[in-house]
Amino acid sequence: MSTAGSAASRKQKTEAMAEVCSVRVGNTLFGVPISHILEIVGAARPQRVPLAPGYVGGLVHYRGDVLTTVSLRQLLQLPPKEGTQDILVLESEGGCFGLLVDSVGEVLTVSAADYESNPSILDERRRTLLAGAYKLKSGLLVMLDPDRVDPLRLGASQAA
Amino acid sequence: MDDLTREFLIESQEGLDRMERCLTELEERPHDASLLADIFRSVHTIKGTTGFLGFKRLEKLAHAGENLLGLLRDEKLAVNAAVITVLLHLLDGLRSILKTIEAEGGEGTGEDAELIARLEELQARERAPDAGGANQAASAVGKAADGGRVLEPGSPRAPAAQGGAAPAAATAVETAEAAPPAAEAAAQENPAPAVADGQKGRTQAAGSATESTLRVDVALLNRIMNLVGELVLTRNQVLQATAADPNMTMLSRRLDMVTADLRESVMKARMQPVSNVFSKMPRMVRDLSQSLGRRVSLKMEGQETELDKSLLEAIKDPLTHAVRNALDHGIEPAAEREAAGKDPEGTLVLRAVQEGSHVVIEISDDGAGIAVDKVRAKAIERGLITPERAAQLAERELLQLIFLPGFSTAAQVTNVSGRGVGMDVVRTNVEKIGGKVELDSRVGKGTTVRLRIPLTLAIIPALIVRSLEQSFALPQAALSELVHVPPEQAATAIEWIENAPLYRLRGRLLPLVFLDRLLMPGRECELAADRDNYIAVLDADGRSFGLVVDSLADPEEIVVKPLSAVLKDIGLYSGATVLGNADLALILDPGSIAMKAGVAMASDEESARAVEEEAETEAAKAEFLLVEAAGRNAAVPLGDVLRIEQLPLSRIEYIGYRPVLNFEGQLLPVEDSGGILAAAEGNPDAQIVVVVCREGGRHVGIAVSHVLDVAAGSSLFEAGTNQRTSGVTLLKERVTGVVDLGGVAPLPATEGAPEELGAVTEGVA
């Protein structure tokens, strides 16, 4: 996926469609490719883990296993949210992990033609987490790179 | 690695295990043809399949071994110690190549020329005296070898052999599983028809076993276990939700039963007999006793006792250590034994038995036992304990010193043991899986090491505690007692040395760790004055400390779930679990908490304590549990008290006149010299108190009316002689009789003669 908008990519428009699950955190609409999502767990209250790294949102019980969750709010340095949150269960190399978001919205079909990569003014922290945006009629859908929010990877980058 | 190779590795591993067992048996029964045939078959199968898979090095070695085994099997060569030693080396050689294949995918570049030469040398020895026989043998071997090579891919002889052999061989070339039977079929070309027939029979037997059993990946079993755990939780919630609805009662009860059954079956699927580990021991004992110059006979009992697979793996090392120790430090050289009037051949007994929810593995020898004086001297020499402190320890406590890291009583360092990494490794490994190590030793009589292993790892008993408004699980295995500090004592209960909080527990200073402060640095270390406080006294890896928590919930059997790597790295939690109320709880790791909080090992702790003069004099006194029986006071040595049970009188049963207590499937003799049971008879609702004590290797119960207190006793000296009196102690300024635990007659089931049954000891003064 390179910069969109050229005549060539417009031609491929029908083929280059992607399905993205939209989630809301704070005022932003984020997107996660549905191919990475195993399941969506609604209205969860993760159990806090004292002394855990800041980005760990806690533990939830998921299909007989205990799932570590990553708080997107924490990653984006937003204040914690009161009440329950929704969880996207994502697949990663080291197993599964949960991504804590404020709420999960609908699955959107987006076209590669509307894609634009990260703007240069984005701060370093966000630039590593985000993978560009789709320009929708209602606003921007900011894409998350599921691999970059993997707790294993976050742990490694923090240690480094 | 492809499936074919993996299958081959598993099968070869099993074959070699069988070969090892047969070899040690062969030493006792050198003329047993069936053992030789079994060994031949193991090596032959490996050779046949390796050719097929293209492992040339392995094939060469197996081939050399097979030639020798062929001669042995055909009685062209007699089995003797030298032959067995070489065959054991062959076994090791084959194993190490298999290991290389498993690790690297290839068989490595090592040379086996020396071993092959030794194998051939033994064959040559046979050939020299009887040339005719040897020629025949050589041709026989040649033929057998040809048969084995039949399956080599690309070999021009392969199609011909397929035609000649049984139809099974035709399919064999295509499927990996069938390779061993095919090798078998090829072996039937062998010139020894009787043996070939025997093999045929066994092949059929093996075939039927394959049909009724199935290899299952352990990871899959773990997954099933997880799901069953999940089902158990869901069941709990369903049961709660449907409790009010009478229509659902039958259904939920059925769900309850099925779930319990399912859970049990899955646990059973993970169980393996301890013989899997025990079977390695004869070989080891043989090798060790030879290199140490001891004569040892090994007896193994209870091999069919089953244990969870992962636990079985975990006890391999401790068991090996304990057996090594028994041979090196325990059993004396034959001459020494004879001089002591013992059978020159020592006996080592490995016994496995299930006791309630634990499996006990005993390693007992009839060797020299552990000399307590030597232990004391060594511990002082190594600086593990101060001389003053050592002088105060009881024999039993001194014996425990050998579990300290860096302790070894071997006079000289041998390659077997004596590097100072012995018993502490045993204890650490066993405690890691929630087990316990017990030690009994009598000088001149022998030593018994007892490993007490929980039946399963996946489910452990734990106490749920609360702190920071969160639940945490504390494994019961590490928990030794709980102390309740009521609000009014909160201000005075903790004493300080600078910034170290301490609690005075029966005269000893116990270092305290505040769980909330540990988990949330910056909080104040103090007990809340407005509510109850609890101290969980934990004992982990030889470290003893008190963990201060806000409140206690119920003990629960918890299903241990692993944590992700990120959370494991915190180092305080060993896992997580889902509680009955569907809450999540982190499982605390007492060992790591002690380390993190800087709690020292017991030995350092002891010497540090010696500085504290007041604590010193307190600790010098033996401690007793003060009990009241029929209006009189009596003392029970606190160190021997395991627990105190309050139970209805109806729980007490009788064997003849002897009152006994059936406790979790174990029979406990109950001592009733105070006549408590007799007095309460006729009152079915009466509650009695039984103090469960340890006496040597057994447990006994003492019936009492009340437990009064714990107090330090002082010795009394007889007037005139100034001799220390036995059987009485000065407790709270009153002369009190000490219950004689050794005097409690054993149960008739063990060795007590019937006439002893009614015997009443002078327990209560």
Side-chain angles (χ1 to χ4, degrees):
Chain A
M1 283 192 275
S2 59
T3 27
S6 70
S9 72
R10 196 171 297 271
K11 199 181 159 198
Q12 287 169 359
K13 193 172 162 185
T14 42
E15 296 104 75
M17 301 295 264
E19 285 192 299
V20 173
C21 179
S22 66
V23 298
R24 194 164 279 284
V25 176
N27 297 321
T28 319
L29 192 65
F30 289 98
V32 178
I34 62 161
S35 54
H36 287 71
I37 301 174
L38 279 180
E39 193 172 336
I40 293 163
V41 181
R45 279 181 198 277
Q47 173 80 53
R48 237 158 24 90
V49 182
L51 299 182
Y55 56 81
V56 173
L59 295 174
V60 286
H61 183 209
Y62 170 71
R63 300 202 167 199
D65 274 325
V66 172
L67 201 68
T68 304
T69 62
V70 170
S71 164
L72 196 50
R73 274 186 167 265
Q74 268 285 346
L75 283 179
L76 299 170
Q77 291 168 311
L78 296 173
K81 177 179 178 273
E82 296 292 318
T84 62
Q85 287 187 286
D86 289 346
I87 295 173
L88 297 182
V89 182
L90 303 178
E91 219 172 359
S92 80
E93 280 171 36
C96 303
F97 69 95
L99 186 68
L100 276 179
V101 298
D102 289 1
S103 62
V104 177
E106 55 195 322
V107 173
L108 306 171
T109 307
V110 292
S111 141
D114 298 329
Y115 175 81
E116 201 132 347
S117 59
N118 279 337
S120 55
I121 54 162
L122 207 61
D123 67 54
E124 179 66 35
R125 187 184 181 86
R126 282 173 167 75
R127 201 180 312 161
T128 54
L129 294 173
L130 307 179
Y134 285 99
K135 296 163 287 182
L136 305 184
K137 275 195 190 115
S138 54
L140 289 177
L141 178 72
V142 183
M143 289 305 291
L144 278 174
D145 182 345
D147 290 337
R148 295 192 191 166
V149 292
D150 182 342
L152 271 179
R153 188 156 161 168
L154 288 169
S157 68
Q158 233 180 36
Chain B
M1 196 187 307
D2 54 15
D3 286 350
L4 219 85
T5 315
R6 196 168 297 124
E7 188 84 8
F8 159 71
L9 285 175
I10 294 171
E11 259 167 18
S12 304
Q13 227 34 281
E14 281 170 4
L16 291 180
D17 285 351
R18 201 168 47 237
M19 173 172 168
E20 181 161 28
R21 270 197 302 279
C22 292
L23 274 172
T24 35
E25 275 180 52
L26 190 67
E27 194 153 42
E28 283 159 31
R29 304 198 301 275
H31 300 293
D32 193 328
S34 68
L35 287 176
L36 274 171
D38 235 358
I39 298 169
F40 180 85
R41 203 162 66 96
S42 303
V43 176
H44 181 83
T45 307
I46 289 178
K47 196 198 76 173
T49 327
T50 47
F52 181 57
L53 290 169
F55 294 123
K56 296 285 180 222
R57 179 182 163 203
L58 194 57
E59 189 193 4
K60 218 164 123 191
L61 184 59
H63 180 75
E66 192 191 19
N67 286 351
L68 178 61
L69 282 165
L71 291 180
L72 291 168
R73 192 193 55 182
D74 301 340
E75 295 177 10
K76 300 254 160 48
L77 190 66
V79 175
N80 57 33
V83 169
I84 291 189
T85 306
V86 170
L87 287 176
L88 284 172
H89 283 140
L90 168 70
L91 175 73
D92 293 341
L94 292 173
R95 270 215 179 117
S96 82
I97 301 180
L98 287 177
K99 207 172 254 173
T100 320
I101 295 177
E102 194 172 0
E104 298 165 15
E107 52 187 343
T109 51
E111 255 319 306
D112 315 300
E114 192 202 348
L115 183 53
I116 292 174
R118 280 172 68 193
L119 288 166
E120 277 164 358
E121 183 194 342
L122 279 172
Q123 295 166 47
R125 236 182 258 169
E126 184 274 333
R127 258 169 228 161
D130 181 1
N135 282 343
Q136 214 179 331
S139 70
V141 166
K143 262 194 199 169
D146 281 352
R149 230 177 271 132
V150 163
L151 295 173
E152 213 169 301
S155 156
R157 289 200 49 172
Q162 269 175 39
T171 46
V173 182
E174 286 145 35
T175 58
E177 286 87 346
E184 222 78 79
Q188 284 173 24
E189 292 186 353
N190 212 289
V195 178
D197 279 350
Q199 282 179 354
K200 207 170 169 189
R202 249 192 308 274
T203 312
Q204 275 160 5
S208 63
T210 330
E211 277 157 32
S212 70
T213 60
L214 188 65
R215 274 204 192 100
V216 181
D217 196 339
V218 176
L220 177 63
L221 277 181
N222 288 346
R223 176 93 189 114
I224 297 176
M225 191 71 207
N226 261 355
L227 292 173
V228 169
E230 173 82 336
L231 188 62
V232 169
L233 287 167
T234 316
R235 172 201 65 181
N236 292 350
Q237 285 160 14
V238 168
L239 289 187
Q240 269 179 16
T242 58
D245 187 349
N247 295 326
M248 295 292 282
T249 318
M250 277 311 289
L251 269 179
S252 52
R253 209 173 279 163
R254 174 130 189 85
L255 175 68
D256 189 19
M257 264 166 47
V258 173
T259 314
D261 265 7
L262 180 63
R263 180 168 132 172
E264 203 168 301
S265 307
V266 176
M267 300 247 283
K268 226 178 228 162
R270 294 177 49 94
M271 295 296 213
Q272 288 195 309
V274 295
S275 59
N276 284 11
V277 175
F278 274 20
S279 63
K280 311 271 184 238
M281 294 302 151
R283 165 82 192 277
M284 196 179 90
V285 170
R286 175 190 187 272
D287 288 358
L288 281 182
S289 53
Q290 271 186 1
S291 71
L292 291 168
R294 310 278 154 96
R295 283 175 58 194
V296 182
S297 87
L298 175 68
K299 291 203 179 80
M300 300 195 284
E301 295 168 21
Q303 294 214 50
E304 68 290 343
T305 313
E306 290 190 322
L307 202 56
D308 188 278
K309 178 171 169 67
S310 53
L311 290 173
L312 212 52
E313 287 295 316
I315 63 160
K316 233 182 229 170
D317 279 354
L319 188 64
T320 312
H321 263 298
V323 170
R324 277 165 180 265
N325 266 341
L327 288 175
D328 197 21
H329 307 287
I331 294 175
E332 319 90 321
E336 217 171 283
R337 290 182 64 91
E338 247 169 326
K342 293 202 244 182
D343 185 343
E345 186 175 68
T347 310
L348 180 67
V349 183
L350 291 182
R351 183 185 295 123
V353 62
Q354 186 177 341
E355 280 185 7
S357 62
H358 283 78
V359 166
V360 177
I361 295 181
E362 257 182 28
I363 303 105
S364 45
D365 63 64
D366 63 348
I370 300 174
V372 175
D373 295 342
K374 274 194 203 158
V375 172
R376 187 191 289 126
K378 181 67 88 181
I380 295 171
E381 182 200 314
R382 294 272 157 107
L384 298 170
I385 189 171
T386 59
E388 297 79 35
R389 181 75 195 132
Q392 294 156 4
L393 290 178
E395 281 206 1
R396 200 172 47 83
E397 289 173 290
L398 281 170
L399 272 184
Q400 302 304 314
L401 292 176
I402 71 163
F403 287 115
L404 291 179
F407 187 94
S408 172
T409 49
Q412 76 193 101
V413 173
T414 64
N415 64 348
V416 177
S417 53
R419 290 174 304 265
V421 286
M423 295 308 283
D424 70 303
V425 173
V426 173
R427 184 169 76 173
T428 318
N429 285 357
V430 171
E431 280 183 357
K432 214 179 273 168
I433 52 172
K436 278 209 159 75
V437 184
E438 292 161 17
L439 183 77
D440 268 336
S441 183
R442 292 192 183 172
V443 175
K445 293 270 166 58
T447 306
T448 299
V449 178
R450 221 169 272 120
L451 313 180
R452 195 174 279 276
I453 316 290
L455 268 182
T456 164
L457 242 196
I459 296 177
I460 59 167
L463 178 75
I464 311 303
V465 300
R466 290 187 64 83
S467 192
L468 296 170
E469 286 155 16
Q470 225 176 309
S471 296
F472 296 91
L474 264 179
Q476 291 273 17
L479 186 67
S480 57
E481 64 184 294
L482 289 165
V483 179
H484 170 218
V485 183
E488 58 271 19
Q489 285 176 21
T492 53
I494 295 181
E495 297 174 86
W496 297 80
I497 296 181
E498 291 301 318
N499 58 355
L502 301 160
Y503 179 78
R504 214 182 289 198
L505 181 70
R506 288 188 294 276
R508 290 192 166 194
L509 291 177
L510 184 75
L512 291 183
V513 178
F514 284 76
L515 184 57
D516 52 357
R517 156 116 180 197
L518 184 73
L519 298 178
M520 201 180 263
R523 276 177 82 108
E524 284 296 313
C525 279
E526 56 179 21
L527 297 181
D530 55 343
R531 56 173 171 76
D532 291 330
N533 291 279
Y534 296 89
I535 302 173
V537 182
L538 301 174
D539 205 350
D541 306 340
R543 297 171 164 94
S544 187
F545 66 100
L547 187 69
V548 183
V549 298
D550 295 353
S551 64
L552 305 177
D554 293 330
E556 256 185 63
E557 298 261 298
I558 57 168
V559 182
V560 181
K561 311 274 184 201
L563 285 177
S564 63
V566 177
L567 299 183
K568 242 183 255 164
D569 290 346
I570 303 173
L572 288 179
Y573 315 114
S574 56
T577 188
V578 185
L579 302 177
N581 59 4
D583 267 1
L584 278 175
L586 289 154
I587 304 168
L588 296 171
D589 178 354
S592 316
I593 291 179
M595 287 234 285
K596 193 136 186 161
V599 178
M601 297 294 282
S603 56
D604 307 346
E605 191 60 27
E606 305 285 24
S607 35
R609 191 178 283 132
V611 184
E612 298 288 315
E613 212 172 316
E614 190 197 354
E616 166 105 320
T617 43
E618 289 269 350
K621 300 173 183 171
E623 294 190 325
F624 292 93
L625 186 71
L626 189 60
V627 297
E628 186 197 316
R632 284 178 301 183
N633 286 0
V636 183
L638 191 67
D640 292 331
V641 175
L642 291 170
R643 55 182 183 271
I644 299 165
E645 297 282 343
Q646 181 164 26
L647 33 87
L649 186 65
S650 54
R651 284 281 306 278
I652 300 285
E653 292 165 276
Y654 289 88
I655 300 177
Y657 298 107
R658 286 292 303 277
V660 292
L661 180 61
N662 179 354
F663 195 80
E664 288 168 2
Q666 301 175 41
L667 214 54
L668 196 72
V670 177
E671 176 65 23
D672 183 31
S673 35
I676 311 284
L677 300 180
E681 211 163 3
N683 179 6
D685 301 328
Q687 290 278 325
I688 56 151
V689 178
V690 174
V691 182
V692 182
C693 302
R694 185 189 297 123
E695 197 279 307
R698 63 188 180 129
H699 296 172
V700 298
I702 314 281
V704 302
S705 318
H706 305 285
V707 172
L708 298 173
D709 201 356
V710 170
S714 312
S715 303
L716 288 165
F717 297 91
E718 196 184 351
T721 63
N722 215 18
Q723 292 279 311
R724 194 180 281 241
T725 53
S726 64
V728 289
T729 182
L730 190 65
L731 216 57
K732 296 202 157 182
E733 255 97 85
R734 286 181 59 187
V735 176
T736 312
V738 178
V739 177
D740 175 18
L741 296 173
V744 178
L747 285 176
T750 51
E751 41 189 73
E755 57 265 28
E756 273 180 43
L757 287 186
V760 174
T761 48
E762 299 297 309
V764 178

